Amino acid sequence: MEENEYKSTYNAINQLRCVFEKAILSRRCDCALSNRFYLADREGISCNSAKAQSICQTLLQQLRKNAMFALKVTHIGDSLPHAKEIKVQNGGALGLQHALYPEMAKKDEYVADIHAVVTDALDRYGGIEELPYPEIIKAIVAFEGRRRRPPNN
């Protein structure tokens, strides 16, 4: 399947793409509102709620904006390079969970339900702009993705 055909089919199938798709696909996060699907030996994640997807989109934009300096970027478009996007999505979800539940900070490096964490955060802090971004950014900076395997010699 050519890449253009794949992207066209993917967009037709996944009309409500999960904003935290990379985090969920990395197996470090999950969401009660997500739905996995498979297309041409690849996995995708869709969202079951337009309202939740909109909230997550706004949250992800704020995470990117607040993490610009820490990520050493001067401009953020619709997305970041893959490794930095992984840091923002995973580190942001983990940082938000740690801010809400400090007792989980040292032992839990997995977010079982992004939607529940975001909902709890909005209830506690009142809005996306009021979230504890200094704490969350520390988690984004500290997040490490998979280590590269050494080349075979």
Side-chain angles (χ1 to χ4, degrees):
M1 180 182 273
E2 287 188 36
E3 192 63 21
N4 290 338
E5 287 179 49
Y6 171 79
K7 287 182 180 180
S8 173
T9 305
Y10 178 93
N11 290 332
I13 291 172
N14 193 7
Q15 295 180 359
L16 196 59
R17 184 176 186 169
C18 175
V19 173
F20 285 92
E21 182 175 42
K22 290 181 189 287
I24 293 171
L25 290 174
S26 72
R27 310 271 193 245
R28 302 286 283 275
C29 298
D30 208 346
C31 183
L33 297 179
S34 69
N35 184 44
R36 289 182 190 274
F37 66 91
Y38 300 91
L39 175 65
D41 296 333
R42 297 188 205 177
E43 193 173 5
I45 308 293
S46 63
C47 184
N48 294 326
S49 168
K51 181 180 177 185
Q53 195 246 15
S54 176
I55 292 168
C56 285
Q57 181 64 45
T58 304
L59 172 61
L60 187 58
Q61 289 170 345
Q62 279 297 117
L63 290 171
R64 289 177 185 148
K65 179 181 168 188
N66 282 279
M68 281 177 56
F69 180 77
L71 295 172
K72 299 176 181 152
V73 294
T74 57
H75 177 270
I76 294 178
D78 289 339
S79 66
L80 294 165
H82 180 76
K84 291 183 184 211
E85 189 68 33
I86 289 286
K87 282 182 84 71
V88 169
Q89 288 187 21
N90 282 297
L94 286 166
L96 190 54
Q97 178 172 271
H98 295 166
L100 287 169
Y101 315 110
E103 67 280 2
M104 298 175 80
K106 294 293 180 196
K107 63 180 178 179
D108 201 356
E109 291 301 310
Y110 177 77
V111 177
D113 187 357
I114 294 170
H115 175 68
V117 170
V118 171
T119 301
D120 289 352
L122 293 176
D123 288 345
R124 179 179 295 176
Y125 295 103
I128 289 176
E129 295 79 23
E130 287 78 32
L131 297 178
Y133 288 103
E135 254 182 88
I136 297 169
I137 300 308
K138 287 178 190 173
I140 290 172
V141 170
F143 181 81
E144 291 187 23
R146 290 187 309 181
R147 301 252 185 225
R148 288 188 176 173
R149 286 187 271 177
N152 294 334
N153 290 338

